[in-house]
Amino acid sequence: MKLSNRPGTTRQSKGSLRAVACVLALGVLPLALHAQTANVTLFGVVDVGIESAKGNSGSMLRLASGQAQASRWGIRGSEDLGGGMKANFWLENGFSADTGALGDTARLFQRRATVGLSGNWGSIDAGRWFRPETRAIFDMDPFDAGGVASPPDSWSSTTFRAENQIQYESPSFGGVVGRVMYGFGEVAGSNSARRDLGGSIHYRGGPVYVAYAYDELGNATGSDKRKWHTVGGNYDLGIAKLYGAFRTRKEVTAALDERSYWLGVSVPLGAVTLRGTVGKVDDRTAPNKDATGFGLGGEYAFSKRTDTYFRFGRVSNKNGATFSVGNGIVGTTPRSLVIGMRHRF
């Protein structure tokens, strides 16, 4: 390989370049070997679509990010510690594919930032991550709790993540897995203020998935707790998969007492998958701010990692309810149609 054809290239400069190359090689080799040992993976999703939305403020046509799956990138890895035990880390950032902006300017890794251990006894992780209740919900929704057609991402209110948490997951016992979480409130003078406690138990076997989950989040003063109870699952018939969930959300001091439920279905047709949901929010307080919602969607898979999709979501609010389709569009009957493309890496 010629280093240069320019006049004035001397043996000394060639030697210097060789020295730099050797230093770089010596520096990169240990990093490559360490990456192999640590089993580090770069991963992500880029999802963007054209959205036509309508609310009380009128219609809007825009480019929107993450309506099939939130755009993100991250790195995760593990190190074998011997004896069946591993050390694990996971750092995941969310962003808007339409603008390139961070999903959260206050957090670099707002989707997940954890470190932990795993073994035949289960796993334990500490940091910011999904609550057990959220993890249980994903398999109750044909839209994986994401986008304008998804009940838990729109009108069935969900707090997805907890920070300052420690979460344990048990190994599977005949298909049964349990999870428990303790999230520190970190409020001086009160251990209960903003403290987040949660847990779930699910069974997965053959065509069946069924789960129950609970979460309680202390308010800012520790005088009350917002409590969620969720039960649901799915059943795979082969020609279609059926989904369903029932949830309650209650907090006395906030005058909050509601129930929500939905039914869903996904139908695989070769490279095409069709999805749909329908459900309701039942406000148990005197204002009776109810809502009904439904969602439709489908994907065409170009490959295992790339597809194009459509999503449609609509909410009908009653008696002053303000539920949206999860994209900031509000009104009496907010609705949204998205046609987009998603690539996973």
Side-chain angles (χ1 to χ4, degrees), residues 134-182:
T134 306
R135 296 176 69 190
I137 284 174
F138 286 123
D139 285 326
M140 302 177 187
D141 176 14
F143 295 102
D144 293 324
V148 298
S150 165
D153 200 26
S154 53
W155 46 265
S156 182
S157 302
T158 304
T159 300
F160 283 89
R161 294 171 178 83
E163 52 195 36
N164 307 313
Q165 64 153 290
I166 298 174
Q167 187 170 153
Y168 168 75
E169 178 176 323
S170 76
S172 176
F173 298 99
V176 177
V177 173
R179 301 177 179 126
V180 292
M181 178 200 73
Y182 184 95

Side-chain angles (χ1 to χ4, degrees), residues 254-302:
L256 176 65
D257 185 3
E258 68 183 31
R259 300 175 180 177
S260 62
Y261 47 88
W262 68 83
L263 296 174
V265 63
S266 64
V267 181
L269 300 168
V272 175
T273 301
L274 301 177
R275 308 177 191 274
T277 56
V278 61
K280 182 178 180 178
V281 179
D282 179 16
D283 180 13
R284 310 289 288 179
T285 65
N288 198 29
K289 295 181 178 181
D290 293 350
T292 57
F294 74 90
L296 299 171
E299 303 95 43
Y300 175 81
F302 294 109

Side-chain angles (χ1 to χ4, degrees), residues 3 27 37 47 69 73 89 98 122-123 134 150 170-171 182 185 188 190 199 206 236 256 262 282 293-294 312 321 333:
L3 294 176
T37 304
D47 178 327
Q69 198 173 4
W73 71 270
F89 78 93
D98 53 327
S123 63
T134 306
S150 165
S170 76
Y182 184 95
S190 175
D236 193 345
L256 176 65
W262 68 83
D282 179 16
F294 74 90
F312 177 77
T333 55

